[in-house]
Amino acid sequence: FGSRTVALEPPSAAVRRPPFSPSFARQPSSCRLPAMQIVAPARFLDGVVFAVFLLFVSGGGLFLFGEFHKMCVIKEAAKLGYFSVVMDTIFPFPSKKFVFNLTHIILFAILIALLSMAHHPAQEIVKDEVEKQRKREEREEKKDKEKEGKKATKGE
């Protein structure tokens, strides 16, 4: 608890410390990108709209499945025969009524969101084929240029 005097420097004289990344420090100030944010506040409205849309899709899907279940198990059971028995066995509901609530809608919406984020292997196959085709075309162009260069040197 002694008396210490601390000299405060004006903000203009303060030395800027480089961030922890050495590659970031090596870049000129004109090339530096802003720091990446984990949450983009500008995208909140997009997320809310997507979530509401997803809840409607989920609820609609469960409603349509409920109608399909009612048609198969109750209304058209005599016409469908064994399929009606299989449907009732796979989805056993009390008194053969398909019932769902908000919890089911939210869980089904989460399932839809997770499945829509999956990366299909066909996308990789198409990407690989396009890259192979591009490399093949580049090789052919390079060979054509070499042939033209050899013809030009022989013609001189």
Side-chain angles (χ1 to χ4, degrees):
F1 296 8
S3 61
R4 284 193 225 170
T5 48
V6 178
L8 297 175
E9 297 177 7
S12 60
V15 178
R16 286 184 54 192
R17 293 183 187 158
F20 293 106
S21 171
S23 63
F24 184 80
R26 282 186 246 133
Q27 295 176 351
S29 61
S30 62
C31 295
R32 290 186 188 159
L33 298 173
M36 181 150 184
Q37 296 177 344
I38 295 174
V39 177
R43 303 296 299 217
F44 281 151
L45 184 62
D46 296 343
V48 169
V49 170
F50 178 72
V52 170
F53 174 75
L54 193 56
L55 285 175
F56 276 104
V57 168
S58 175
L62 287 173
F63 172 76
L64 289 175
F65 181 75
E67 291 297 309
F68 176 70
H69 182 267
K70 184 169 45 172
M71 181 192 77
C72 292
V73 176
I74 298 171
K75 293 182 180 178
E76 306 288 331
K79 291 181 185 176
L80 296 174
Y82 188 68
F83 180 72
S84 173
V85 174
V86 170
M87 187 79 166
D88 191 31
T89 307
I90 293 174
F91 303 105
F93 293 105
S95 68
K96 296 184 179 186
K97 289 184 181 177
F98 181 80
V99 180
F100 62 95
N101 57 26
L102 183 61
T103 305
H104 296 107
I105 293 172
I106 292 172
L107 288 173
F108 191 53
I110 291 171
L111 178 66
I112 292 171
L114 287 175
L115 290 175
S116 67
M117 286 189 272
H119 191 75
H120 197 274
Q123 294 170 327
E124 290 293 325
I125 294 170
V126 170
K127 178 185 167 194
D128 292 341
E129 288 178 0
V130 168
E131 287 179 357
K132 286 179 185 177
Q133 180 68 25
R134 185 178 49 84
K135 287 179 182 178
R136 193 175 305 126
E137 289 173 357
E138 287 176 358
R139 271 188 262 129
E140 290 174 1
E141 288 177 10
K142 188 176 179 182
K143 287 179 183 178
D144 291 342
K145 287 181 182 178
E146 288 176 1
K147 287 181 183 178
E148 290 175 5
K150 289 180 182 178
K151 288 180 183 177
T153 55
K154 287 181 181 178
E156 291 178 359

